[in-house]
Amino acid sequence: MSSVVFDHVSKVFDGTVAVDGLDLTIHDQEFMVLLGPSGCGKTTALRMIAGLETVTSGTLSIGDRVVNDIPASDRDIAMVFQSYALYPHMTVRKNIESPLVAHRGRRVDAAERERRVREAADILGLGDYLERKPGALSGGQRQRVALARAIVRRPEVFLMDEPLSNLDAKLRTQTRTEIVELHRRLGSTFVYVTHDQVEAMTMATRVAVIANGRLQQTGTPDEVYRRPANLFVATFIGSPPMNVIRGVARDNGAGLELAAAAGTLTWSTPVSAVGIGSELVAAIRPEHLHVDPAGTLDFTVRAIEQLGHERHLLGRSGDADVVVRQSSADAPIAIGESLRLRPDPAEVHLFDPATEARVD
Amino acid sequence: MATRPSPGRASGRRARDSLLAASFLAPAFAVFAVFAYYPLYRLVYLSLYRPNRNTFIGGSDEWIGGSNIIDSLTSSTFLRSLAVTAKFAVLTVPMGIILGVLLAVAADRKLRGIRIFQTIFSSTVASSVAVASVVFFTLLQPEAGLWRNVSWLSIKQPGSALVAISTTAVWQNAGLTFVIVLAALQALPSEVREAAELDGYGPVRRFFRITVPLISPALLFLAVVLVIHALQAYAQFEILKPTNDAQPLLYKIADPEGVETISSRAVYSLGLFVVSLIVSIAQFGLLERRVHYGE
Ligand SMILES: Nc1ncnc2c1ncn2[C@@H]1O[C@H](COP(=O)(O)OP(=O)(O)OP(=O)(O)O)[C@@H](O)[C@H]1O
Ligand SMILES: [Mg+2]
C-alpha cells in the first residue's frame, strides 16, 4: 500500500507532448480517477506508473521510492488493461496465479497459491470457470479474470485503464459497483483511467481532470462538479454540459451584472477581481436556467429532447448555444418559441476569458 | 396448396445441385488429375511394369511386380540415400528454425534502422534454392571458395560434404523462419506482453512461457514445411555436386548421372512419398497437442 507522486512529470513521444509537467499526489488507499477527453494523456500517465513508458522528465515515486529507473517487473503494481490482456493459452487458474509464479521475489508455495487463487476467484465469482481457457469466457468473465489476476498478488497500487469500456451498459454498472467494493475491501491505492464522467463521479474518492496533457483540477467528484477550477472543467463535467455566456461586467445600480448579447446575468457569489468593463465568461448548468416571462435572457427553442423523466430545450441565446433542462411535467413548449430565461444567481460560475481560470 | 415439394422434384433439385457442385470442382480436379493423380498412377505403373521401349515391333510392357519394389526398397542405394535425406533434415530444420527465431526476436523491436536488418534477414526468402546454392558455391568451392580451408565444410570430403551443403539450407530456412516468426511476433497483442512483464516474468521465461505458446502455430507450420523442403531438397546437391555418400534420396530419383533404372527410381519416389506422408502426420500428431490456435 502506497502513495504515487508525480513531480513535474512529462512524457514526450518524438515531438508529441503526451503528459506536460504533471504534478499530482495520489494518496495511500485513495481511489483516484484520471478523467479527460480522448488523447489527453491519461493512459500515458498510467503507463508511466506501471513502468511501461519511461519518464521523459520529472520524478515519479511510488511509496517513498523514486521509480523512474525501476523496470516494470520490479514495481509492486498490478494493471488491468482495457483489452484484459489475458494469456489465451493458459486456463483461468493459470492466468490468475501467473503473478505468483512469474517473479522470484513474489513466489509463494503451492498451498498458499491455491488459497489465494481460490480467494480471488470467490471474490469475483469465477469458481466454476477455473479450468476454462479465456476463449471460452464472455467479455464480462474475462474482465473478472483480469481483476482476479490483479488482486492475487496484493500489490501496492492497482492500475486500471478503462476496464469497463468493452462491457454492455448493464454489466458496466454492475462491475462499477464491484470495483468500488473491491477497493473498500482491499484498502489499496487505485488509479483508474476513464473518459466517462459517470464512472469518475460514481467511483472516485478524488478525480484528476486532465486536458492536453495538463492537469486541470483535482478534487472530490463533488468539488469538481460544484466548483470547477476553469472553463474546461466546467464544460467537461456534467451532462448536458454547462452553458457558456460571454459578456462584459457593468454596474446596474444594485451591483455588478454581466451584459451579454442575449440579455443580462447576475451572480450572488462575491467576486473580488471583477471591475466595471471586465470581460467575463459565465457558465451555468442547464438545470439552473428557468423558463420565466420575467427572465433576463432571450432564448429561442430550436429542438426539444424528451428523455422521459426530463427534457432538454436546445436553442440560442444571442450568439450562444444554450441548453435548458426541465422536468417533463413542465408546461409544454413548441419548437421555434421565443422565451425568457431566468438564471439562478447562486449557480453562476465566472471565468476569465483570457486565462479561462475561475475568477472568484 | 403444394407448399411441400414432391419427392420427385426434390430429387431433381438434388441432381441439379450435384451437377453444379461437380462443375465447380471440375477445374480443381483437372489440375490435380494432370499434376498429381496421373503422375502418381504412372509411378505405381512404372514400379510394376518395365516399359517396352521397342516401339517398332510393339508388344506390351513387362510385369516385374512386387519383387522390383522389394528389391528397390531394400537396396543399399535407397537405404543410404534415405539416411542422407534424414540427416539433412536433422541438420537443417532445427538449426534453421532456431537461428531464424533468434534473429526474429532480435529484430522485433522498435529501433531506428531496424527495418534494414529486417530486410537483410528476410532476403534469403527472395532467393531461390539455386541462387542460394550458387552463392554458397563461392564459399564452398574446393579450389577458390572462401571456406576452402575449413575442413569440416569441405564438399569433396566424405563426412563433411553433407554438413557443407546443409549450410545453404540452414541459411535459407533461417530466412523463411525469420519472416514468418517476425510476422507472428508483431501480430501478438502488445498488452499481453506487457501484462507478462508486469506479472514479473523475466525476458527468458516470458519468451518460453508466453511468446512461444502464442506463436506455436507458426512454429508448427515451419516445422512441417521445412521438413518437407528438406525431404525434397535437390537443387543444392545438383549444383554443389557432393561426394556419393552425401547424395539424398531425391538425387537418386532425379539421377543426373543416369545410373539407376526407371523402375527403381519409380519405387524410390513412392518410398519418398510415403515417408513424407508419415513424417507430416507424425509431426501434426506430436506437435498439434502443444499448439495453441488463438481463441
Ligand atoms: N507510443 C506513442 N507514440 C507516439 N505518440 C503517442 C504514443 N502513445 C500515445 N501517444 C500520443 O500521446 C497522446 C496521449 O495519448 P494517451 O494514449 O495517453 O491518451 P488517452 O488520454 O489515454 O486517450 P484515450 O482516452 O483515447 O485512450 C496522444 O496524442 C497520442 O497520440
Ligand atoms: Mg487511453
Side-chain angles (χ1 to χ4, degrees):
Chain A
M1 261 131 274
S2 300
S3 58
V4 176
V5 180
F6 286 88
D7 184 5
H8 222 72
V9 169
S10 296
K11 174 70 192 181
V12 182
F13 291 108
D14 31 53
T16 316
V17 182
V19 172
D20 190 0
L22 181 62
D23 284 308
L24 177 65
T25 301
I26 300 164
H27 302 300
D28 189 21
Q29 306 200 5
E30 190 164 50
F31 196 124
M32 171 64 87
V33 173
L34 306 183
L35 175 67
S38 186
C40 72
K42 313 176 291 284
T43 296
T44 307
L46 197 74
R47 288 170 57 86
M48 283 193 283
I49 306 178
L52 297 173
E53 241 30 287
T54 55
V55 172
T56 308
S57 64
T59 340
L60 178 64
S61 320
I62 299 178
D64 39 22
R65 181 165 73 143
V66 172
V67 295
N68 286 37
D69 299 319
I70 309 259
S73 51
D74 294 337
R75 299 187 187 189
D76 195 10
I77 52 106
M79 181 153 170
V80 177
F81 292 86
Q82 184 174 350
S83 65
Y84 315 144
L86 301 178
Y87 308 126
H89 59 292
M90 295 184 187
T91 59
V92 168
R93 176 193 302 280
K94 294 274 179 208
N95 264 283
I96 297 178
E97 73 181 13
S98 156
L100 301 179
V101 295
H103 194 277
R104 267 173 229 294
R106 279 195 291 272
R107 232 169 271 172
V108 295
D109 65 52
E112 169 69 4
R113 198 160 69 220
E114 173 60 23
R115 208 185 57 70
R116 288 219 221 159
V117 170
R118 271 278 148 213
E119 184 188 310
D122 284 346
I123 292 176
L124 290 153
L126 288 168
D128 296 340
Y129 307 114
L130 285 177
E131 305 313 325
R132 286 206 205 167
K133 297 240 173 103
L137 298 179
S138 73
Q141 290 163 340
R142 286 182 211 184
Q143 216 276 346
R144 280 157 210 271
V145 177
L147 282 171
R149 181 173 67 183
I151 67 179
V152 276
R153 61 187 284 183
R154 304 191 179 140
E156 292 178 280
V157 184
F158 279 94
L159 307 177
M160 303 192 184
D161 190 358
E162 314 220 14
L164 306 185
S165 57
N166 291 341
L167 304 182
D168 68 33
K170 183 156 172 262
L171 204 51
R172 189 149 52 207
T173 315
Q174 184 189 335
T175 314
R176 212 160 68 196
T177 324
E178 284 172 2
I179 293 178
V180 172
E181 174 60 29
L182 202 61
H183 172 248
R184 202 175 7 247
R185 187 171 185 153
L186 301 173
S188 358
T189 312
F190 277 48
V191 187
Y192 185 104
V193 161
T194 183
H195 62 264
D196 179 351
Q197 46 170 309
V198 177
E199 280 175 29
M201 299 309 256
T202 52
M203 300 171 85
T205 51
R206 265 194 329 146
V207 183
V209 184
I210 301 175
N212 296 322
R214 289 172 168 276
L215 183 63
Q216 306 294 317
Q217 184 173 6
T218 53
T220 64
D222 199 53
E223 282 164 3
V224 188
Y225 186 82
R226 288 191 192 284
R227 250 186 93 77
N230 59 34
L231 198 54
F232 174 83
V233 179
T235 51
F236 186 71
I237 308 260
S239 170
M242 280 201 198
N243 297 299
V244 174
I245 295 167
R246 291 166 192 274
V248 178
R250 71 172 184 209
D251 195 343
N252 66 355
L256 290 177
E257 68 176 13
L258 186 77
T264 61
L265 251 156
T266 55
W267 57 90
S268 59
T269 42
V271 180
S272 53
V274 174
I276 292 168
S278 309
E279 285 189 33
L280 283 178
V281 181
I284 183 160
R285 295 207 180 274
E287 56 269 36
H288 299 137
L289 288 170
H290 309 285
V291 174
D292 182 345
T296 55
L297 287 174
D298 293 329
F299 179 65
T300 312
V301 183
R302 294 196 159 172
I304 301 174
E305 286 180 349
Q306 292 289 355
L307 299 180
H309 60 297
E310 64 180 36
R311 69 177 178 225
H312 301 161
L313 312 180
L314 282 55
R316 299 278 288 174
S317 277
D319 53 359
D321 284 317
V322 164
V323 180
V324 178
R325 183 184 218 153
Q326 286 195 310
S327 158
S328 298
D330 287 347
I333 285 170
I335 292 173
E337 223 175 307
S338 285
L339 306 166
R340 302 286 288 171
L341 296 178
R342 177 174 50 80
D344 187 340
E347 302 292 348
V348 173
H349 306 262
L350 293 175
F351 302 94
D352 181 313
T355 64
E356 301 203 336
R358 193 179 183 91
V359 292
D360 57 340
Chain B
M1 277 315 292
T3 49
R4 192 207 285 207
S6 70
R9 244 197 284 164
S11 74
R13 178 176 315 144
R14 206 167 302 138
R16 256 202 325 279
D17 285 352
S18 313
L19 207 65
L20 195 66
S23 68
F24 282 140
L25 288 172
F29 181 77
V31 171
F32 277 121
V34 173
F35 294 105
Y37 303 145
Y38 178 70
L40 196 60
Y41 158 76
R42 281 298 292 170
L43 272 185
V44 175
Y45 184 87
L46 286 172
S47 310
L48 298 173
Y49 294 90
R50 179 172 302 136
N52 185 343
R53 296 196 183 276
N54 197 333
T55 45
F56 294 108
I57 301 170
S60 54
D61 300 336
E62 182 194 344
W63 165 260
I64 41 177
S67 67
N68 174 51
I69 294 186
I70 292 172
D71 290 349
S72 302
L73 289 183
T74 52
S75 69
S76 67
T77 310
F78 177 78
L79 294 174
R80 285 218 193 109
S81 63
L82 183 60
V84 170
T85 298
K87 238 199 255 172
F88 181 72
V90 169
L91 284 173
T92 58
V93 176
M95 197 61 192
I97 291 184
I98 290 170
L99 271 180
V101 169
L102 287 178
L103 289 176
V105 169
D108 178 30
R109 48 192 83 199
K110 294 187 184 87
L111 290 180
R112 213 178 293 275
I114 198 74
R115 295 213 154 253
I116 297 170
F117 290 97
Q118 294 177 355
T119 310
I120 292 173
F121 295 150
S122 42
S123 63
T124 74
V125 177
S127 41
S128 68
V129 180
V131 171
S133 306
V134 171
V135 169
F136 271 76
F137 191 64
T138 63
L139 300 171
L140 297 169
Q141 207 278 339
E143 282 83 40
L146 220 53
W147 294 345
R148 61 184 178 276
N149 294 328
V150 184
S151 63
W152 57 277
L153 284 176
S154 162
I155 345 182
K156 294 300 166 202
Q157 296 292 318
S160 64
L162 190 61
V163 176
I165 290 188
S166 297
T167 54
T168 74
V170 167
W171 182 71
Q172 286 214 302
N173 289 351
L176 183 65
T177 305
F178 173 81
V179 171
I180 293 195
V181 170
L182 183 63
L185 289 175
Q186 298 194 333
L188 292 185
S190 58
E191 294 197 337
V192 170
R193 206 183 298 193
E194 289 168 353
E197 204 177 325
L198 291 179
D199 276 353
Y201 289 103
V204 176
R205 283 162 57 80
R206 191 159 78 232
F207 178 75
F208 285 107
R209 301 287 288 270
I210 310 291
T211 310
V212 168
L214 293 182
I215 63 170
S216 56
L219 295 177
L220 173 65
F221 167 80
L222 283 165
V224 172
V225 166
L226 294 184
V227 164
I228 289 176
H229 274 183
L231 296 181
Q232 298 179 345
Y234 173 69
Q236 312 67 338
F237 295 93
E238 161 76 55
I239 291 169
L240 295 171
K241 298 245 181 309
T243 52
N244 190 45
D245 71 312
Q247 292 172 352
L249 185 50
L250 205 67
Y251 195 86
K252 301 295 182 191
I253 294 171
D255 195 25
E257 285 131 32
V259 295
E260 306 288 331
T261 65
I262 185 81
S263 307
S264 47
R265 286 158 63 194
V267 177
Y268 297 165
S269 300
L270 283 179
L272 183 58
F273 171 70
V274 172
V275 168
S276 307
L277 197 66
I278 292 172
V279 167
S280 299
I281 291 172
Q283 276 181 305
F284 271 104
L286 287 176
L287 298 176
E288 182 92 310
R289 266 176 285 140
R290 318 207 51 160
V291 167
H292 172 81
Y293 291 104
E295 291 186 349

